[in-house]
Amino acid sequence: MSTKQLSSVKIMSFGFKYGSPNANYYFDVGFIKNPARDPKWNFFSTPDEEMRNFVLSQKPVVEFLKYIIPLIKILAPLDQAQVFAFGCNSGRHRSYILVEEIARQLKECGVPAKIVHREDDLQ
């Protein structure tokens, strides 16, 4: 895969309650336990290292990442403007953290990915 082919891959987090974004592929990550429902955090909590560990250590998340990274690697070079969107209810915690991790893992594999957190202005 050439880096030039992959230069416009976007990995986006979003909140379903604000509508779906324009994307090639959508993934609902509502299966992840919501940290906003844990007494340590709330809806307005900003993701931190402890919340990141809470989300990424969940077994379904570990399994999801094992499959989504190779899938993105296969699909990414097929189009010059791929957008992979990951949504949860508000786009502030689960999808936000997952997108950061997906982009990190893709970069480790040599796949450049631009991160877009659509609901960032709500933080």
Side-chain angles (χ1 to χ4, degrees):
M1 285 187 225
S2 103
T3 302
K4 184 177 181 188
Q5 287 177 310
L6 301 174
S7 62
S8 63
V9 172
K10 289 183 185 171
I11 310 297
M12 177 186 293
S13 68
F14 72 97
F16 279 106
K17 72 182 193 176
Y18 305 112
S20 297
N22 289 328
N24 301 86
Y25 303 96
Y26 298 88
F27 300 91
D28 182 346
V29 298
F31 64 88
I32 300 171
K33 289 179 189 169
N34 192 346
R37 289 190 169 73
D38 188 289
K40 293 180 204 170
W41 303 290
N42 62 46
F43 180 76
F44 298 104
S45 296
T46 302
D48 59 13
E49 193 62 26
E50 188 178 9
M51 186 185 293
R52 181 182 183 281
N53 291 336
F54 174 85
V55 168
L56 296 178
S57 67
Q58 295 174 36
K59 187 174 179 170
V61 175
V62 173
E63 289 296 309
F64 183 75
L65 288 169
K66 283 196 310 194
Y67 293 101
I68 198 65
I69 301 300
L71 179 63
I72 292 172
K73 287 172 61 178
I74 290 166
L75 295 172
L78 301 178
D79 186 329
Q80 290 297 306
Q82 293 284 349
V83 179
F84 298 88
F86 297 83
C88 57
N89 187 45
S90 70
R92 293 174 187 238
H93 305 109
R94 294 171 289 177
S95 62
Y96 187 103
I97 290 168
L98 192 68
V99 160
E100 293 283 331
E101 180 61 17
I102 289 169
R104 186 191 69 73
Q105 288 191 29
L106 287 172
K107 287 175 187 172
E108 282 183 357
C109 298
V111 179
K114 180 181 179 193
I115 296 171
V116 176
H117 295 298
R118 190 184 73 173
E119 316 318 348
D120 243 2
D121 60 334
L122 301 174
Q123 295 285 350

